[in-house]
Amino acid sequence: MNGDTKKEIYREALRELDAVLADVDDPITAMATCASVLHQKLPYASWTGFYRVVAPRLLRVGPYQGPLGCLEISFDRGVCGAAARQRATQLVPDVHAFAGHIACDAAARSEIVIPIYDPRGELVAVLDLDSHQPAAFDDDDREGLERIAERLRPSLGGDRAAFYIP
Ligand code: SME
């Protein structure tokens, strides 16, 4: 898929989320809607969804689309743990070359994980996308997904029970 097509997909996804999340402040609704929109639009994504921060260094699976994901991931483990620990996007072209990658799906080859913040700037989740294609994700995905993470932020403040907030 060329860069222009990806950019257009992310523009459309953002437009759709802007419209549908306009009055939403329920984080489960926001995350479920986002997972659906992205998974439908990105043909190279095999798993699209959220891991929520539920304890100081623990992620638990949230709304997602795709095959069964791991239920819990500690901040010490995997690509998701690295994104949460470092509070930085992880772009992994080859999951087999990433020390500590957690293989929930044996067919997964590449992955991108974006930190997700609430309206107060607390890390509350990570957004994880996996692909069966090697190097499926690039800087266009990083840019598009980071923009979507910003859009989600105001919709993540309504239900404190969805996350652990210090
Ligand atoms: N591969 C991820 C785990 C989550 S799933 O693949 C859905 C990781 O290493 O963090």
Side-chain angles (χ1 to χ4, degrees), residues 22-59:
D23 298 316
V24 171
D25 74 346
D26 179 321
I28 301 297
T29 304
M31 290 187 285
T33 303
C34 181
S36 170
V37 166
L38 288 174
H39 200 70
Q40 291 296 315
K41 287 194 185 300
L42 297 172
Y44 47 93
S46 56
W47 196 97
T48 306
F50 293 84
Y51 280 91
R52 298 167 298 127
V53 178
V54 294
R57 290 177 63 80
L58 183 65
L59 296 165

Side-chain angles (χ1 to χ4, degrees), residues 98-138:
F98 187 99
H101 168 256
I102 305 164
C104 295
D105 172 1
R109 289 289 172 274
S110 59
E111 177 162 1
I112 187 167
V113 184
I114 316 283
I116 298 292
Y117 301 96
D118 77 355
R120 298 185 310 172
E122 296 289 346
L123 177 83
V124 288
V126 298
L127 169 58
D128 178 19
L129 283 85
D130 291 349
S131 179
H132 291 170
Q133 298 169 24
F137 305 103
D138 58 22

Side-chain angles (χ1 to χ4, degrees), residues 71-165:
L71 296 195
E72 290 191 343
I73 300 176
S74 125
F75 274 31
D76 303 331
R77 298 194 56 227
V79 185
C80 291
R85 200 168 62 240
Q86 298 169 23
R87 287 166 167 63
T89 294
Q90 308 290 310
L91 181 52
V92 181
D94 174 5
V95 294
H96 297 310
F98 187 99
H101 168 256
I102 305 164
C104 295
D105 172 1
R109 289 289 172 274
S110 59
E111 177 162 1
I112 187 167
V113 184
I114 316 283
I116 298 292
Y117 301 96
D118 77 355
R120 298 185 310 172
E122 296 289 346
L123 177 83
V124 288
V126 298
L127 169 58
D128 178 19
L129 283 85
D130 291 349
S131 179
H132 291 170
Q133 298 169 24
F137 305 103
D138 58 22
D139 280 334
D140 286 326
D141 297 279
R142 176 202 293 269
E143 203 184 304
L145 293 169
E146 287 179 351
R147 217 169 266 160
I148 283 170
E150 274 306 308
R151 173 57 194 87
L152 275 186
R153 197 191 273 227
S155 297
L156 297 180
D159 174 8
R160 316 313 295 166
F163 310 114
Y164 165 81
I165 310 272

